[in-house]
């Protein structure tokens, strides 16, 4: 693993970019998108990917997708931009079958790592098949998501989809999460209080 901090690698990468390469940006929800979209748009031609079959129930999934659309619409209107959104055809049954019981595993443990890998993999595969120059995820903006783990997953997937480069990032650094929260409040976004899967929903209800 590179000994440099992820934030340093990110800065070096974007400073050395040539032109405006394309980037496929996996996003999990509107609030987490707020800061990364404003940060990355200065360097990349962006397309947003909503690839999240973990979100339960389906009403919650559609609610979060609606907030993503709201963020992109606001951003495009404010900046005269043309950021597009891709919503993949989620296989909810496949996800539920392969991600059943969390059992004794806590949030942030092996179960969650598998979930992060799965969602990043299907997103990265789309980016690769559609010839994007770069891929990354907004999930590093959340204080509840370990950036080092997500970047390790990205590095691993880059070996599999080598024609599309993984952009190492840590969007929670430099007050990224706080900046995103501020934008989300300005837009009046719905901010969910559980990660997304049925297990995190049950744990929230128990609390």
């Amino acid at each position: 693993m590179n000994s440099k901090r992820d934030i340093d690698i990110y800065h070096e990468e974007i400073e050395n970019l040539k032109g405006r390469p394309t980037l496929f940006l996996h996003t999990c929800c509107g609030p987490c998108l707020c800061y990364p979209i404003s940060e990355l748009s200065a360097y990349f031609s962006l397309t947003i990917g909503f690839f999240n079959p973990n979100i339960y129930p389906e009403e919650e999934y559609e609610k979060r997708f609606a907030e993503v659309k709201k963020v992109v619409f606001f951003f495009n209107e404010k900046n005269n931009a043309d950021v597009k959104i891709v919503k993949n055809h989620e296989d909810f049954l496949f996800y539920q079958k392969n991600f059943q019981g969390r059992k004794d595993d806590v949030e942030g443990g092996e179960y969650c790592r598998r979930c992060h890998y799965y969602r990043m993999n299907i997103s990265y595969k789309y980016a690769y098949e559609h010839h994007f120059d770069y891929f990354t995820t907004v999930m590093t903006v959340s204080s509840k998501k370990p950036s080092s783990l997500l970047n390790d997953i990205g590095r691993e997937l880059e070996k599999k989809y080598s024609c599309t480069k993984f952009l190492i990032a840590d969007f929670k650094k430099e007050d990224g999460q706080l900046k995103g929260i501020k934008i989300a409040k300005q837009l009046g976004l719905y901010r969910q209080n559980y990660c997304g899967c049925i297990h995190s929903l049950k744990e929230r209800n128990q609390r």
Side-chain angles (χ1 to χ4, degrees):
M1 184 185 300
N2 199 307
S3 61
K4 290 184 178 180
R5 295 184 308 155
D6 291 336
I7 191 71
D8 295 330
I9 299 172
Y10 168 76
H11 284 149
E12 288 182 11
E13 184 74 23
I14 61 176
E15 286 169 4
N16 293 319
L17 288 175
K18 303 286 193 266
R20 284 178 59 82
T22 56
L23 186 147
F24 192 71
L25 179 61
H26 166 257
T27 189
C28 50
C29 63
C32 285
L33 176 61
C34 287
Y35 173 67
I37 192 175
S38 60
E39 167 75 2
L40 293 170
S41 63
Y43 309 100
F44 298 94
S45 175
L46 294 179
T47 298
I48 308 303
F50 190 74
F51 288 52
N52 302 290
N54 60 308
I55 299 175
Y56 180 90
E58 193 168 349
E59 292 82 1
E60 176 73 15
Y61 172 87
E62 294 297 342
K63 193 172 185 178
R64 295 191 194 188
F65 180 60
E67 299 303 275
V68 169
K69 291 192 291 185
K70 187 185 296 185
V71 173
V72 173
F73 176 81
F74 169 80
F75 180 84
N76 284 340
E77 287 286 299
K78 182 179 179 181
N79 298 281
N80 193 28
D82 188 29
V83 176
K84 295 180 173 58
I85 307 173
V86 175
K87 177 186 179 186
N88 86 318
H89 300 290
E90 307 287 8
D91 193 340
F92 295 104
L93 293 178
F94 178 85
Y95 182 89
Q96 296 302 332
K97 179 181 177 180
N98 287 274
F99 292 83
Q100 293 181 358
R102 197 150 80 187
K103 297 181 180 179
D104 297 326
D105 194 13
V106 297
E107 183 167 352
E110 175 60 21
Y111 181 97
C112 293
R113 189 204 70 80
R114 287 180 53 230
C115 179
H116 297 331
Y117 183 95
Y118 178 79
R119 288 184 289 149
M120 288 177 66
N121 181 53
I122 60 175
S123 305
Y124 210 141
K125 184 174 185 286
Y126 180 94
Y128 170 78
E129 290 177 343
H130 291 79
H131 312 294
F132 281 83
D133 298 311
Y134 282 83
F135 167 82
T136 197
T137 178
V138 305
M139 291 193 292
T140 63
V141 79
S142 171
S143 60
K144 296 182 179 180
K145 301 290 190 299
S147 299
S148 59
L149 170 63
L150 294 168
N151 283 322
D152 284 347
I153 292 172
R155 290 183 180 102
E156 182 179 346
L157 291 171
E158 185 179 32
K159 298 174 183 176
K160 186 176 179 181
Y161 306 116
S162 57
C163 292
T164 299
K165 191 169 183 179
F166 178 68
L167 182 68
I168 296 167
D170 190 350
F171 294 118
K172 68 172 65 64
K173 298 294 185 181
E174 300 181 347
D175 293 327
Q177 186 176 25
L178 293 177
K179 292 173 183 175
I181 290 172
K182 184 178 179 180
I183 297 170
K185 287 182 177 179
Q186 291 173 346
L187 296 179
L189 295 183
Y190 161 66
R191 295 176 61 202
Q192 64 274 4
N193 57 9
Y194 69 101
C195 182
C197 75
I198 187 171
H199 308 293
S200 61
L201 174 59
K202 288 179 178 178
E203 289 167 3
R204 183 208 66 180
N205 292 337
Q206 289 172 355
R207 290 194 299 268

